[in-house]
Amino acid sequence: MALEIQIGDRLANVEKVSEEGSRMLINIDGKEFDVDLVMVEEGVYSILYNGKSFNVELVNTDDPKSYTVNTLYNSYEVDIIDAERKYQMSRRGGDVDEETYISSPMPGKVVKIPVSVGDEVKAGDPVIIVSAMKMESEHKVKKDRVVKDILVNEGDVIEGNQTLVVVE
Amino acid sequence: MALEIQIGDRLANVEKVSEEGSRMLINIDGKEFDVDLVMVEEGVYSILYNGKSFNVELVNTDDPKSYTVNTLYNSYEVDIIDAERKYQMSRRGGDVDEETYISSPMPGKVVKIPVSVGDEVKAGDPVIIVSAMKMESEHKVKKDRVVKDILVNEGDVIEGNQTLVVVE
Amino acid sequence: MIEKVLVANRGEIAMRIMRSCREMDIRTVGIYSDADRTALHVRYADEAYHIGKAPSSDSYLHIEKIIAQAKESGVDAIHPGYGFLSENATFSKRCQEEGILFIGPDPMAIETMGDKITARKTMKEAGVPVVPGTAEPIKDESKVVETIHNIGLPVMIKASAGGGGKGMRLVMTEEEILPAVRSAKSEARESFGDDSVYIEKYIKSPHHIEFQILEDKQGNAVHLFERECSVQRRHQKVVEETPSPIMTPEVREKMGRDAVNAAKAVNYRGAGTVEFVTDDNLNYYFLEMNTRLQVEHPITELVVGIDLVKEQLAIADGKDLSVTQKELTQKGHAIECRIYAEDPNENFRPSPGKVKHITEPMGQGVRVDGYVYEGYEIPIHYDPMISKLVVWGLTRKESIERMRRSLYEYKITGVKTSIGFLEKVMKQSDFIAGNYNTNFISHHWDELMETEECGEDCEQMAIIAALVDFEKKQQYAKSSQNNGQAEKTSYWKYFGRQKNLTRI
Amino acid sequence: MIEKVLVANRGEIAMRIMRSCREMDIRTVGIYSDADRTALHVRYADEAYHIGKAPSSDSYLHIEKIIAQAKESGVDAIHPGYGFLSENATFSKRCQEEGILFIGPDPMAIETMGDKITARKTMKEAGVPVVPGTAEPIKDESKVVETIHNIGLPVMIKASAGGGGKGMRLVMTEEEILPAVRSAKSEARESFGDDSVYIEKYIKSPHHIEFQILEDKQGNAVHLFERECSVQRRHQKVVEETPSPIMTPEVREKMGRDAVNAAKAVNYRGAGTVEFVTDDNLNYYFLEMNTRLQVEHPITELVVGIDLVKEQLAIADGKDLSVTQKELTQKGHAIECRIYAEDPNENFRPSPGKVKHITEPMGQGVRVDGYVYEGYEIPIHYDPMISKLVVWGLTRKESIERMRRSLYEYKITGVKTSIGFLEKVMKQSDFIAGNYNTNFISHHWDELMETEECGEDCEQMAIIAALVDFEKKQQYAKSSQNNGQAEKTSYWKYFGRQKNLTRI
């Protein structure tokens, strides 16, 4: 089964050609890799390729087709683009304007929401301030906006990447 | 729901009286225990009882109703005796003569089987020799027996507690 | 005789203290907030009690709750660790009043050292060098200029009512003096309605060097040599080492004597640290005294061989110091790296969350003082420090090599950490040469921010692992639809569920 | 210049060696058998190659396969670790022939020390004390009696063709001599058809004390003091410490000098250990020389501060020793406990299997040299040692207390271990007093086999945990029947399945 795998900006065509025990022949963009691969711990793979020993860890996200993949020094965002995903992507149509959903990449606590629904805010104005581990982060709008919805209250504990404020 | 729990030689009547978050009131043989209990790692429980901090680890066996439970210095075999298990026990009837199934508690490799099916063996005679980690163990019959069945071959890798030889 | 101690702290330092208590056969009492029920110190302590809500003010900073718990548990002493109540004179006093030993100095010593102006004055009287400068604010312009000439350039002019950099001017040359004084004063007047200023000697590329001291209740005091703490980011120490690469035996002896005098001047009791700001020529000035155990105390322990927590407990118990100055020597070299839950690629933003995997470095000369475990959720409420990685080597070179190796072995996933950043510090040529001061990180920022590449193959291996893992998932999904082995796998489903719920 | 090393071993010692290589910036090549694809040394090495089937004879003992792999990988040297090929003269010779550096002595030194009779003769000539006894077998009865009188009681009579205790007699008193000689000779004649015997001085309650030595290719040699290895079970070392509690500075100097002379007598190269049997009065006799790194080498590293593997590599590279005898000192005290996968309650039966959880001890003065990780299946084919727990303390007392604390913290489940047994050794009063010899374990057997109780509450807590866990399982089983969230939990089902298949 051939798959497309998105890794950072690169889209790779990948196929497992054959498998015998831990020995696998994998084709990536036309080049064949003869590897010996075993899962040694949950989500941790030991791969021997050309004698070289690699340790690769997969960290799962909420989406079963997305991984964070850690190698020795690099960390990659990896997405499996199978038929289903392709269909979803085609249906989704144009890009969502991510800018209208304000979130914090860091989990924490909402310290202050200096705006109310209906407020007009200028580019660079903070709309929410989140604190974690003694450090506060201001989240600002990048363009002039109107506050459409506020989904959390001051004092709330929030997860990373949760939508906090909607603007338009 | 009241349950019977077998721990070593003791059979205890146990019931969870109430539960609120991590706080639980448990009745064991008529005595109430007010504990604060959380699972901190897979199978590892932290229990605070009368302020004292206990760490209890449950190791699962193949049987979902049996555990090996490790406390600081002690290791217990624990069985949950619910209605189903009681029924099974009543059906099973008298004790199985464990002595007729020879097994090794230690996984390893079969080094030698000095007997054949049909052989008459004397009490104390070894019927199978297993080796693991450079150490050999002889498994002997405790009474005069006849070898009825040999389930493994010399050189086989075996698991712990697997039946190797049947005698009668 | 101390037989039972309440540790009024959390995280690695709570573990650190309890470990020494266990070696001394002293029973430990842990306390925990709502956020810390699953923390390791609760599991490690002999007894543990809930003390309040997650915010520190309701728990680890709540003096009366802690005192009440200490009395109820019948402890002989309270160890405050660092941070939280460790330098709180009121807490030290409340312990005294309740007849509980406070593992630290008495309220007076904490207060004296806690107030910068009093501390500076006390040190001057004790003959400990302080940064040259004015003791009182000056209003008169000509007096300001005269003072600057007395102190000698470069100097820093600071608004006496100031803060936030307002009314602050650095003066490097003779010609800058008058314009700087005038603009500083006018800015100060506008900002604070008060144009009086302080003048302080400016130390150009300062080193932060501190001395560990111990003093017992009989007044015996020793120093345990220096720690070099100049690798800092936003005035936070990141890497510490001992001996300092710029230290000489002569200056060490002199600074050590001054550190002991600083402690004696406030009748210090216990373990403390005297911090000095030091220039490239090893001119040094008293900066402040930390009246507690420092985060970086382990490097001293590795090089000197003394367990500082055990000494703290012995001193609190009224015992004499176990060693004299003459018996103390430095052997080898030690480095500490502080491992934070933070993302170096996003300007070191904190990264709390659930720890998925940890592989700790092991082997000769490696010490990890940590507190997180696999599956542990690092709370958002407290400090982002995960652990301290400390290594010892016979030489500075060996200890850098060992630190590099240990950072390479150290794997923590689930949260972002500063491990990769620290590896780059250990490979930076000026650090290796011992040629750095407190500007090190900002000077080498670009270099330290570069991504290390593990080569073309790395990316391919990442793709392969993802492919294989995804295909296995699919196979499993299929096979579990096709057969009815529900009974047999239910246990693992259960654990799967558990983990899913808690979002590993 | 050594730039790449093949490590011809597995387990903790392969990891130990690779760690030092990494610190020295030397690339490592690992080899593995069928049983070791998932072993940590394969994951840690820069390169790793499959070498053969699980039995050692097909893999870690297969000289030609290893040589071939070394040549193919272009390594400069091979480190054999301990065990396997480390004391194999043929292997050392084959490396020489192929132009690969063997990290160890040359074939001649291995052969000389490997043969007990040649070694004894060589040592005698070098002036190193050997156990008094006959060099040649004696047939004549009166000659035997005369020899016994010369050596002095007690003595051991041994059949020269003997083995398995046949023809062996211990003679404690004058009256026993003649009957013992006669019965030994007659038993020897019956058993082996040869009634000639050796006479050897009998050491009543012997201590096993060994000295670490280093010698470079230029013939510079030093000793790194002693290790006391008298805590033994079935002639296997279990606990080692340094300094020895019975050693004096005078005897240490003398024994050290003899150890260096022993090494020099065979033109030794590299790291080696000279073992002495020692009586209560510190009379000592050469026992044997181990021409390799010892399992217990870390205690020397902790007290002396030298990395022995780095010294081995430097010596193989032709470099001079990094230190002279004068520069070497002992600081503090170190103890090693060997942690085995075995069941002390079942006569120390090996306990291979899958490791479920590990919590390693941490903090000051604690070193763990191990190789297993959570989920790792300890193979049935090799040694049951899981790790070596080594601690350092400023005094012997502190180091015992630290070991006790570290054993308390060390948790390994899934396999049985000797941790609990070692805790009892650390609490045994004769051990604490330093009053023990090689009979220690058998003398205190009953005491060491007692089960420690954690009190009445413990059993109740075990019941409570089992109840709660079982109820949670049931709840989960119910809820998963009632809802159709298959998609969302499928990933965790998958891991659940994985784990189930591999029987954690």
Side-chain angles (χ1 to χ4, degrees):
Chain A
M1 178 180 57
L3 279 177
E4 283 181 330
I5 290 184
Q6 176 94 41
I7 180 162
D9 295 333
R10 174 181 167 199
L11 189 68
N13 271 291
V14 192
E15 186 174 15
K16 197 199 281 165
V17 179
S18 66
E19 176 173 0
E20 201 190 322
S22 59
R23 193 84 173 272
M24 298 175 192
L25 200 61
I26 312 263
N27 186 309
I28 305 179
D29 290 337
K31 194 181 163 195
E32 289 204 335
F33 293 85
D34 182 354
V35 298
D36 189 284
L37 178 152
V38 288
M39 180 157 91
V40 286
E41 298 178 67
E42 189 182 303
V44 181
Y45 288 88
S46 163
I47 307 180
L48 298 179
Y49 170 61
N50 273 349
K52 265 188 250 151
S53 178
F54 294 88
N55 295 283
V56 179
E57 181 177 25
L58 304 191
V59 182
N60 290 278
T61 63
D62 287 340
D63 178 347
K65 288 173 190 162
S66 293
Y67 296 99
T68 301
V69 182
N70 298 322
T71 58
L72 183 49
Y73 291 116
N74 300 95
S75 185
Y76 301 96
E77 297 308 316
V78 175
D79 288 288
I80 311 287
I81 317 289
D82 61 359
E84 187 189 358
R85 175 65 65 100
K86 269 190 189 160
Y87 175 69
Q88 284 165 352
M89 287 166 80
S90 70
R91 266 169 54 104
R92 199 188 288 157
D95 280 340
V96 178
D97 185 355
E98 304 285 345
E99 275 278 302
T100 62
Y101 296 89
I102 311 288
S103 67
S104 157
M106 159 183 102
K109 196 172 169 177
V110 177
V111 177
K112 204 170 159 56
I113 307 176
V115 295
S116 306
V117 173
D119 282 6
E120 289 177 23
V121 287
K122 299 258 169 237
D125 280 357
V127 294
I128 191 161
I129 296 148
V130 173
S131 138
M133 295 175 155
K134 301 178 178 173
M135 186 168 157
E136 293 194 355
S137 319
E138 288 188 346
H139 297 278
K140 300 167 182 173
V141 288
K142 290 189 187 159
K143 297 179 191 164
D144 292 2
R145 299 281 191 185
V146 175
V147 178
K148 210 182 147 192
D149 203 359
I150 297 175
L151 304 167
V152 289
N153 297 310
E154 291 183 0
D156 281 3
V157 171
I158 56 157
E159 313 231 334
N161 299 315
Q162 173 188 344
T163 301
L164 307 171
V165 176
V166 185
V167 295
E168 61 172 18
Chain B
M1 179 179 60
L3 279 176
E4 283 181 332
I5 291 183
Q6 176 95 41
I7 181 162
D9 295 334
R10 173 181 166 198
L11 189 65
N13 271 293
V14 191
E15 186 173 14
K16 197 200 283 165
V17 178
S18 67
E19 176 172 0
E20 202 191 320
S22 60
R23 194 81 175 274
M24 299 176 192
L25 200 62
I26 312 260
N27 186 309
I28 305 178
D29 289 337
K31 194 180 163 198
E32 289 205 335
F33 293 84
D34 182 355
V35 298
D36 188 284
L37 178 151
V38 288
M39 180 156 92
V40 286
E41 297 177 68
E42 191 182 304
V44 180
Y45 288 88
S46 163
I47 307 180
L48 299 179
Y49 170 61
N50 274 348
K52 266 187 249 153
S53 177
F54 294 87
N55 295 283
V56 179
E57 183 177 27
L58 304 191
V59 182
N60 291 278
T61 63
D62 287 340
D63 179 347
K65 289 174 190 162
S66 293
Y67 295 99
T68 301
V69 181
N70 297 322
T71 58
L72 183 51
Y73 292 117
N74 301 95
S75 186
Y76 301 96
E77 298 307 316
V78 174
D79 289 288
I80 311 287
I81 316 291
D82 62 359
E84 186 190 0
R85 174 65 65 101
K86 268 190 187 158
Y87 175 70
Q88 284 165 352
M89 286 165 81
S90 70
R91 266 168 55 103
R92 200 190 287 159
D95 281 337
V96 178
D97 186 356
E98 304 286 343
E99 274 278 302
T100 61
Y101 295 90
I102 311 287
S103 66
S104 156
M106 160 182 99
K109 196 172 167 175
V110 177
V111 178
K112 205 171 159 57
I113 305 175
V115 296
S116 306
V117 174
D119 282 6
E120 289 177 23
V121 285
K122 298 260 170 235
D125 279 357
V127 293
I128 190 160
I129 296 147
V130 173
S131 138
M133 295 177 156
K134 301 177 178 173
M135 186 167 155
E136 293 193 354
S137 321
E138 288 189 348
H139 297 277
K140 300 167 181 173
V141 289
K142 291 189 188 160
K143 299 181 189 163
D144 292 2
R145 299 284 190 182
V146 175
V147 177
K148 211 184 148 192
D149 202 358
I150 297 174
L151 304 168
V152 289
N153 296 310
E154 291 181 1
D156 281 3
V157 171
I158 55 155
E159 313 232 334
N161 300 315
Q162 170 189 346
T163 301
L164 307 171
V165 176
V166 185
V167 295
E168 62 174 15
Chain C
M1 189 58 189
I2 298 178
E3 293 181 346
K4 194 172 179 182
V5 169
L6 185 145
V7 179
N9 216 305
R10 63 180 302 283
E12 71 85 17
I13 193 62
M15 291 297 297
R16 161 75 193 85
I17 294 161
M18 289 183 188
R19 287 194 162 105
S20 285
C21 288
R22 191 166 286 279
E23 289 178 17
M24 296 171 87
D25 223 1
I26 291 174
R27 275 168 302 140
T28 53
V29 175
I31 56 173
Y32 64 96
S33 75
D34 281 351
D36 274 343
R37 173 61 183 89
T38 60
L40 204 53
H41 75 275
V42 176
R43 298 167 60 187
Y44 194 86
D46 291 308
E47 298 173 28
Y49 299 95
H50 179 250
I51 201 84
K53 296 207 178 118
S56 310
S57 52
D58 291 336
S59 48
Y60 302 108
L61 284 173
H62 198 298
I63 294 179
E64 289 313 317
K65 281 187 187 171
I66 294 171
I67 294 279
Q69 186 60 60
K71 290 177 73 178
E72 201 188 309
S73 311
V75 300
D76 307 301
I78 296 181
H79 197 307
Y82 54 68
F84 295 129
L85 295 172
S86 60
E87 295 182 283
N88 186 309
T90 311
F91 187 55
S92 169
K93 192 145 182 283
R94 286 289 293 122
C95 289
Q96 250 181 14
E97 286 164 6
E98 300 288 347
I100 302 165
L101 288 166
F102 174 78
I103 315 277
D106 59 33
M108 185 63 95
I110 298 178
E111 266 166 8
T112 307
M113 286 304 190
D115 180 73
K116 297 231 168 189
I117 291 170
T118 319
R120 186 184 160 90
K121 215 176 123 203
T122 313
M123 290 306 103
K124 254 184 127 164
E125 284 165 16
V128 179
V130 296
V131 178
T134 47
E136 304 293 331
I138 323 174
K139 275 189 113 55
D140 183 64
E141 187 182 291
S142 60
K143 188 85 192 287
V144 174
V145 174
E146 188 195 322
T147 307
I148 292 176
H149 282 125
N150 286 345
I151 292 171
L153 291 177
V155 299
M156 187 67 92
I157 307 173
K158 290 179 180 175
S160 67
K166 293 266 163 63
M168 211 157 135
R169 290 292 180 285
L170 172 62
V171 187
M172 301 292 288
T173 62
E174 190 64 32
E175 306 83 62
E176 287 168 21
I177 296 179
L178 213 56
V181 171
R182 284 176 185 163
S183 71
K185 282 173 72 72
S186 97
E187 197 173 295
R189 200 180 312 118
E190 265 172 48
S191 303
F192 316 110
D194 174 1
D195 69 349
S196 62
V197 293
Y198 286 96
I199 311 297
E200 227 174 49
K201 180 89 185 171
Y202 174 69
I203 315 293
K204 217 166 50 187
S205 43
H207 296 257
H208 176 120
I209 295 179
E210 60 186 30
F211 272 70
Q212 176 70 51
I213 67 96
L214 286 173
E215 184 167 359
D216 65 24
K217 290 184 177 169
Q218 292 66 253
N220 305 307
V222 297
H223 71 86
L224 288 87
F225 314 104
E226 81 279 12
R227 292 187 288 257
E228 166 75 61
C229 310
S230 300
V231 180
Q232 301 189 351
R233 193 175 52 76
R234 295 190 202 128
H235 303 286
Q236 283 278 9
K237 297 166 191 167
V238 174
V239 175
E240 303 94 353
E241 63 175 314
T242 183
S244 163
I246 63 165
M247 189 55 71
T248 65
E250 296 71 31
V251 176
R252 177 177 292 125
E253 211 191 307
K254 221 163 124 264
M255 284 179 90
R257 213 160 38 221
D258 280 330
V260 167
N261 289 338
K264 282 183 169 282
V266 293
N267 290 315
Y268 199 81
R269 298 295 170 256
T273 296
V274 183
E275 299 193 336
F276 295 100
V277 55
T278 307
D279 69 17
D280 284 336
N281 302 316
L282 288 174
N283 297 305
Y284 62 91
Y285 311 100
F286 174 85
L287 189 63
E288 59 176 353
M289 178 166 187
N290 295 309
T291 57
R292 54 166 163 85
L293 205 62
Q294 298 276 86
V295 173
E296 61 272 21
H297 76 275
I299 56 173
T300 297
E301 294 184 322
L302 291 188
V303 160
V304 179
I306 300 283
D307 183 322
L308 288 169
V309 172
K310 288 184 187 166
E311 290 297 323
Q312 286 187 301
L313 287 158
I315 291 169
D317 224 353
K319 298 202 176 76
D320 283 348
L321 289 183
S322 70
V323 281
T324 61
Q325 191 65 55
K326 257 196 203 156
E327 292 163 349
L328 290 166
T329 53
Q330 296 169 288
K331 178 163 183 174
H333 189 94
I335 304 178
E336 172 180 283
C337 281
R338 301 187 185 191
I339 314 293
Y340 288 100
E342 62 186 14
D343 188 350
N345 296 323
E346 297 289 344
N347 201 25
F348 297 92
R349 181 173 66 204
S351 173
K354 193 145 203 161
V355 175
K356 196 172 175 263
H357 262 115
I358 310 178
T359 306
E360 255 131 12
M362 299 204 296
Q364 183 169 17
V366 179
R367 167 176 175 183
V368 181
D369 275 28
Y371 80 106
V372 306
Y373 55 88
E374 291 187 1
Y376 176 68
E377 174 126 22
I378 302 176
I380 60 167
H381 305 280
Y382 313 108
D383 194 85
M385 194 168 74
I386 291 176
S387 69
K388 305 179 312 199
L389 172 56
V390 199
V391 303
W392 179 93
L394 196 53
T395 60
R396 185 169 187 271
K397 181 171 175 290
E398 187 179 53
S399 109
I400 293 173
E401 286 163 358
R402 192 159 283 158
M403 181 56 86
R404 222 157 52 198
R405 187 267 290 175
S406 303
L407 288 164
Y408 168 84
E409 284 181 23
Y410 207 166
K411 306 284 177 212
I412 300 175
T413 53
V415 298
K416 306 266 181 192
T417 73
S418 53
I419 292 173
F421 173 77
L422 293 162
E423 278 192 88
K424 277 170 261 170
V425 172
M426 288 302 129
K427 289 175 183 171
Q428 207 291 322
S429 55
D430 276 341
F431 180 83
I432 292 169
N435 176 26
Y436 67 90
N437 54 47
T438 45
N439 300 319
F440 174 75
I441 289 186
S442 49
H443 275 178
H444 295 287
W445 185 259
D446 291 343
E447 204 178 328
L448 296 172
M449 281 299 126
E450 272 170 26
T451 311
E452 283 192 72
E453 289 296 333
C454 64
E456 150 80 6
D457 286 341
C458 245
E459 191 174 304
Q460 313 288 19
M461 296 307 127
I463 292 172
I464 289 171
L467 172 75
V468 171
D469 195 82
F470 179 70
E471 290 194 356
K472 275 197 192 169
K473 267 193 224 175
Q474 285 195 313
Q475 274 167 34
Y476 176 72
K478 262 185 219 151
S479 73
S480 67
Q481 277 162 23
N482 297 340
N483 69 44
Q485 280 200 300
E487 182 67 305
K488 199 160 184 195
T489 54
S490 68
Y491 171 66
W492 291 108
K493 274 189 218 155
Y494 153 67
F495 268 121
R497 185 71 179 300
Q498 278 297 113
K499 285 191 167 175
N500 202 21
L501 288 175
T502 48
R503 289 183 190 237
I504 273 193
Chain D
M1 188 59 190
I2 298 177
E3 292 181 345
K4 194 171 179 183
V5 168
L6 185 144
V7 179
N9 216 306
R10 63 179 303 283
E12 70 85 18
I13 193 62
M15 290 298 295
R16 161 74 193 89
I17 294 161
M18 288 183 189
R19 288 195 162 104
S20 284
C21 288
R22 190 165 288 277
E23 289 178 16
M24 296 172 86
D25 222 2
I26 291 173
R27 273 168 303 141
T28 53
V29 175
I31 55 173
Y32 64 95
S33 75
D34 281 351
D36 275 343
R37 173 62 183 89
T38 59
L40 204 53
H41 75 275
V42 176
R43 298 168 60 187
Y44 194 86
D46 292 307
E47 298 173 28
Y49 300 94
H50 179 249
I51 201 86
K53 295 207 178 119
S56 311
S57 52
D58 292 335
S59 48
Y60 302 107
L61 284 173
H62 199 297
I63 293 178
E64 289 313 318
K65 280 188 187 170
I66 292 171
I67 294 279
Q69 187 59 59
K71 291 178 72 178
E72 202 189 308
S73 312
V75 301
D76 306 301
I78 296 180
H79 197 307
Y82 54 71
F84 295 129
L85 296 171
S86 60
E87 296 182 284
N88 186 307
T90 312
F91 187 56
S92 168
K93 192 144 183 284
R94 285 291 292 121
C95 288
Q96 251 180 14
E97 287 164 5
E98 300 289 346
I100 302 165
L101 289 167
F102 174 79
I103 316 276
D106 60 32
M108 185 62 95
I110 299 177
E111 266 167 9
T112 308
M113 286 304 189
D115 181 73
K116 299 231 167 186
I117 291 169
T118 319
R120 185 184 161 91
K121 215 176 125 205
T122 313
M123 289 306 104
K124 254 185 130 162
E125 285 164 13
V128 179
V130 296
V131 178
T134 46
E136 304 292 332
I138 322 175
K139 277 189 113 47
D140 183 67
E141 186 180 292
S142 58
K143 188 83 192 294
V144 172
V145 174
E146 189 193 324
T147 308
I148 291 175
H149 281 126
N150 287 343
I151 291 171
L153 290 176
V155 298
M156 187 66 93
I157 308 173
K158 289 180 179 174
S160 67
K166 293 265 163 65
M168 211 154 131
R169 288 293 181 284
L170 172 61
V171 188
M172 300 293 286
T173 62
E174 190 65 34
E175 306 83 65
E176 288 167 20
I177 296 179
L178 215 56
V181 171
R182 282 172 186 163
S183 70
K185 283 173 71 72
S186 96
E187 198 172 294
R189 201 181 310 116
E190 267 172 45
S191 304
F192 316 109
D194 175 3
D195 69 350
S196 62
V197 293
Y198 286 97
I199 310 298
E200 229 175 47
K201 180 87 184 172
Y202 173 70
I203 315 292
K204 216 166 51 186
S205 44
H207 296 258
H208 175 119
I209 295 179
E210 59 186 31
F211 272 69
Q212 175 70 52
I213 66 97
L214 286 173
E215 183 166 1
D216 64 25
K217 290 182 176 170
Q218 292 67 251
N220 305 306
V222 297
H223 71 86
L224 288 86
F225 314 103
E226 81 277 13
R227 291 187 288 257
E228 166 75 60
C229 311
S230 299
V231 180
Q232 301 189 350
R233 192 174 52 76
R234 295 191 202 127
H235 303 287
Q236 283 278 8
K237 297 166 192 168
V238 174
V239 176
E240 303 95 352
E241 63 176 314
T242 183
S244 164
I246 63 165
M247 188 56 70
T248 66
E250 297 72 32
V251 176
R252 177 177 293 124
E253 210 190 309
K254 221 163 124 259
M255 285 177 89
R257 215 162 34 224
D258 279 330
V260 166
N261 289 338
K264 281 181 168 284
V266 293
N267 290 315
Y268 198 81
R269 299 294 171 256
T273 296
V274 183
E275 299 192 337
F276 295 101
V277 55
T278 307
D279 69 18
D280 284 336
N281 303 316
L282 288 173
N283 298 307
Y284 62 92
Y285 312 100
F286 174 86
L287 189 65
E288 58 177 353
M289 179 166 186
N290 294 309
T291 58
R292 53 164 165 86
L293 205 62
Q294 298 275 87
V295 174
E296 60 272 22
H297 76 276
I299 56 174
T300 298
E301 294 183 323
L302 291 188
V303 161
V304 180
I306 301 282
D307 183 322
L308 287 168
V309 171
K310 288 183 186 167
E311 291 296 323
Q312 285 188 303
L313 287 158
I315 292 168
D317 224 351
K319 297 201 176 77
D320 282 350
L321 289 183
S322 70
V323 282
T324 61
Q325 191 66 56
K326 257 195 202 159
E327 293 163 348
L328 290 165
T329 53
Q330 296 169 290
K331 177 165 184 172
H333 189 94
I335 304 178
E336 172 180 282
C337 281
R338 301 186 186 193
I339 314 294
Y340 287 101
E342 62 185 15
D343 188 350
N345 296 323
E346 297 288 345
N347 202 24
F348 297 91
R349 181 174 66 202
S351 174
K354 192 145 203 160
V355 174
K356 193 170 175 269
H357 263 115
I358 310 178
T359 305
E360 255 132 12
M362 299 206 294
Q364 183 170 17
V366 180
R367 167 177 175 182
V368 181
D369 275 28
Y371 80 107
V372 307
Y373 55 89
E374 290 187 1
Y376 177 68
E377 174 126 23
I378 302 176
I380 59 168
H381 305 281
Y382 314 110
D383 194 85
M385 195 168 74
I386 292 176
S387 70
K388 305 180 311 200
L389 173 56
V390 200
V391 303
W392 179 92
L394 195 54
T395 60
R396 184 169 187 273
K397 181 171 174 289
E398 187 179 53
S399 113
I400 294 173
E401 286 164 356
R402 190 158 283 158
M403 181 57 87
R404 221 158 52 196
R405 186 267 290 177
S406 302
L407 289 164
Y408 169 83
E409 284 181 25
Y410 209 165
K411 306 285 176 212
I412 300 175
T413 52
V415 299
K416 307 265 184 193
T417 73
S418 52
I419 292 173
F421 174 76
L422 292 162
E423 278 192 88
K424 277 170 259 168
V425 172
M426 287 303 130
K427 290 176 182 170
Q428 208 290 322
S429 55
D430 276 342
F431 181 82
I432 292 170
N435 175 27
Y436 66 90
N437 55 46
T438 44
N439 300 320
F440 173 75
I441 289 186
S442 49
H443 274 179
H444 296 285
W445 185 258
D446 291 343
E447 203 178 329
L448 296 173
M449 282 298 126
E450 271 169 28
T451 311
E452 283 192 71
E453 289 297 333
C454 63
E456 149 82 4
D457 286 341
C458 245
E459 192 173 301
Q460 313 287 21
M461 296 306 127
I463 291 173
I464 289 171
L467 172 74
V468 171
D469 195 83
F470 179 69
E471 290 195 355
K472 275 198 193 170
K473 266 193 224 174
Q474 285 194 314
Q475 272 166 33
Y476 176 71
K478 261 185 218 151
S479 73
S480 68
Q481 277 161 23
N482 297 340
N483 69 42
Q485 279 199 302
E487 182 67 304
K488 197 157 185 202
T489 55
S490 68
Y491 172 65
W492 291 108
K493 274 189 214 151
Y494 153 66
F495 268 121
R497 185 71 180 301
Q498 276 298 110
K499 285 192 167 173
N500 202 22
L501 288 173
T502 47
R503 288 183 190 237
I504 272 192

